Amino acid sequence: MVPKITTPSGYLHEYQKSVSNPIGFWNNVADTFYWHKRWEKTLEWDFKKPEVKWFINGKLNITENIFERHLFLRGDQPAIIWEPNDPEEPEKVYTYKELYDEVNKFANVLKSKGIKKGDRVAIYLPMVPELVITMLACARIGAIHSVVFAGFSANALAERINDAGAKMLITADGGFRGEKIIELKKTSDEALESCESVETVIVVKRTGQEISFEEGRDFWWDNLMKDAGTECKAEVMDSEEPLFILYTSGSTGKPKGVVHTSGGYMVYTAYTFKNVFQYSNGDVYFCAADIGWITGHSYIVYGPLLEGATSVMFEGIPTYPTPKRYWEIIDKYQVNQFYTSPTAIRSLMAKGQKWVEYINLKSLRVLGSVGEPINEEAWHWYHDHIGNGRCPIVDTWWQTETGGIMISPIAGVIPTKPTFATLPLPGVQPVILDNDGNVMCQKSVEGNLCIKFPWPGMARTLWGDHDRYKQSYFSRFEGYYFTGDGVKRDEDGYYRILGRIDDVINVSGHRLGTAEIENAINEHPLISESAVVGFPHPIKGQGIYAYVVCTDMPDAGEEELKKSILKAVSKIISPIAKPDKIQFVKALPKTRSGKIMRRILRKIAEGEYSSFGDTSTLTDPTVVDDIIKGVKE
Ligand code: WT7
């Protein structure tokens, strides 16, 4: 088990050690795992190339560190507690031994369908146990999983399958989400029309709805699992071989396939999980994220299971059947650590006090927040009403690319301050740069958040596009990893994340590229161009504001056109990317070099109609006046 910091002086000591002797520090953590062969060299790196390698020539399998390592002591302990969407349906509990058997069985199924080490397997499943089983079965045989969030459209799924060249797709007939049913097989069929690489589709039966089946390509999960054996030797992986790909949004339209590797990701997620949440043996931990995002990968599946934890996995949504659902789950399983997003907190807070009264939340010890900045009001509500004033809130800052938590309090060890992610974890060396790339050394400053030294959990490349990896993270400031976030540091050295400074927006904790939304809108035949920006939204953190140029307004009028834009965005990306506001404009404010001046559009979306700064490079300043006039009308 990884070492655990339990006192402020312990933190200082470990942090200092991790900076003065990072090799010794990480060797010590990595030595707590089971390796077929210990690494020969701990780290090789060059942020200019860029290239990062950890635990070089080490051999391991991450699933042996989840199962074989724990079975003797914890075989009968629950690994995953699955809570269904409908509270009337019984939960499912998988002990480590039971989960191990299922993983091995499905690993054998994968092999029987021709999946080998290095092959990509796309996973488009709702929050059901089969999702965890599939991920770990892939890891068992060295196949690279690529989980696609079940809310994505056919088009978005196809794009991800094709980019990864996935040979197989695992999906379900459908999924339950609150009152709704999502038609996963239908969407998969639509996606697969344009995916040549997929040879086999395995379908989990969840809703029992009518679906179409393609003979020879499609197979029921249950039929294949029936005869599968429970023994499957783990593939021995090199530390630097990929474990998974997870797509995320960038500032251009195409999603980025973030690649994480076996050794470093394992060490980093386990270490951060154990320390940030202060997990102790026997605790029950509940992360309410979806496994379709990195939070679920690192802190429902890998981090907790690597540390032998009991991890609660919830299929549904926080408001179904009532806005008490999370609190009921916490009471039902006597949850000790709970981890969710500010959007969920704000939306539950908005439902009113009555939903948290008379609920027993005494088991809680630690509350976590992730995905977006948490505002003061939500922080205090979470602290006072859910934590009853006695649970530390860990506001955890990190990214899909970082693999695990980077800046966060260690629960009960680092004093918290509302809206601050506080201090870097051991092994993380943040720096704040000004726009010219100078490191700002004073304590109390504001600027671009960069990281100056590698950590084991960092993404190694973007699938099939190392050049874009370099462009995205290592070119804005040479020699540094650039996060894309703005940050402020205070007199105590505490960090407060200010949000994205690139063309990425964060809507309900979901990361979206403005360019991908614009591309979707522009597909509409009546639309010549558009510009999308974020604006402050009371529940979602950021809302989506689209300025749309329509040259030839149809007779049916603006409302109809708005509806068809929303439909197009849902279809091309996902309902989560639908603009909250659409404004039709005659033209977009552009500079003489043809660049859209988003700064102005952001201001207008925020409701500010003056102090736009330097606008001398605008080709036609009356465009701005027209847009403002349009808002006021
Ligand atoms: C972006 C990364 C990390 C898992 C979920 C999101 C924002 C993340 C915080 C936080 C303020 C945060 C950043 C970051 N973000 N955590 N605690 N406070 N902002 O992963 O989809 O890769 O998004 O989310 O802007 O860059 P992601």
Side-chain angles (χ1 to χ4, degrees), residues 405-417:
I405 300 168
M406 300 286 281
I407 303 182
S408 165
I410 292 177
V413 172
I414 304 295
T416 60
K417 203 189 275 188

Side-chain angles (χ1 to χ4, degrees), residues 248-249 293-295 339 342 369-374 394-402 404-405 407 419 421 483-486 496-501 504 506 509-512:
T248 188
S249 294
W293 311 111
I294 191 71
T295 305
Y339 193 25
S369 169
V370 61
E372 30 167 349
I374 179 164
V394 290
D395 176 359
T396 62
W397 173 81
W398 56 297
Q399 312 178 291
T400 305
E401 294 86 344
T402 68
I405 300 168
I407 303 182
T419 76
T483 63
D485 281 313
R496 175 193 202 157
I497 310 301
L498 302 172
R500 303 291 305 198
I501 44 191
V504 167
N506 196 323
H510 301 316
R511 180 165 153 186
L512 295 164

Side-chain angles (χ1 to χ4, degrees), residues 305-359:
L305 297 184
L306 282 163
E307 282 304 298
T310 295
S311 181
V312 176
M313 164 181 188
F314 174 41
E315 183 184 35
I317 57 171
T319 49
Y320 180 80
T322 72
K324 265 197 306 213
R325 192 63 194 279
Y326 280 170
W327 324 132
E328 284 168 344
I329 296 172
I330 290 170
D331 186 24
K332 181 172 175 187
Y333 301 114
Q334 291 292 293
V335 167
N336 303 108
Q337 294 92 357
F338 175 60
Y339 193 25
T340 190
S341 68
T343 290
I345 298 164
R346 284 190 295 263
S347 69
L348 295 172
M349 180 170 82
K351 300 280 179 200
Q353 221 31 61
K354 68 171 183 183
W355 300 108
V356 286
E357 279 161 9
Y358 314 112
I359 289 271

Side-chain angles (χ1 to χ4, degrees), residues 376-392:
E376 288 249 359
E377 197 193 354
W379 195 98
H380 285 292
W381 186 82
Y382 199 28
H383 185 259
D384 298 346
H385 297 287
I386 306 308
N388 206 1
R390 42 168 201 89
C391 303

Side-chain angles (χ1 to χ4, degrees), residues 3 58 87-88 103 137 143 171 186 197 245 265 271 327-328 339 341 348 367 371 405 566 570 574 583 598-599 623:
E88 303 293 317
V103 166
T171 187
K186 191 170 158 230
S197 56
I245 307 171
Y265 180 83
Y271 180 76
W327 324 132
E328 284 168 344
Y339 193 25
S341 68
L348 295 172
L367 298 174
I405 300 168
L566 295 182
S570 300
S574 158
Q583 184 183 348
R598 289 169 187 280
R599 178 163 53 83
V623 166

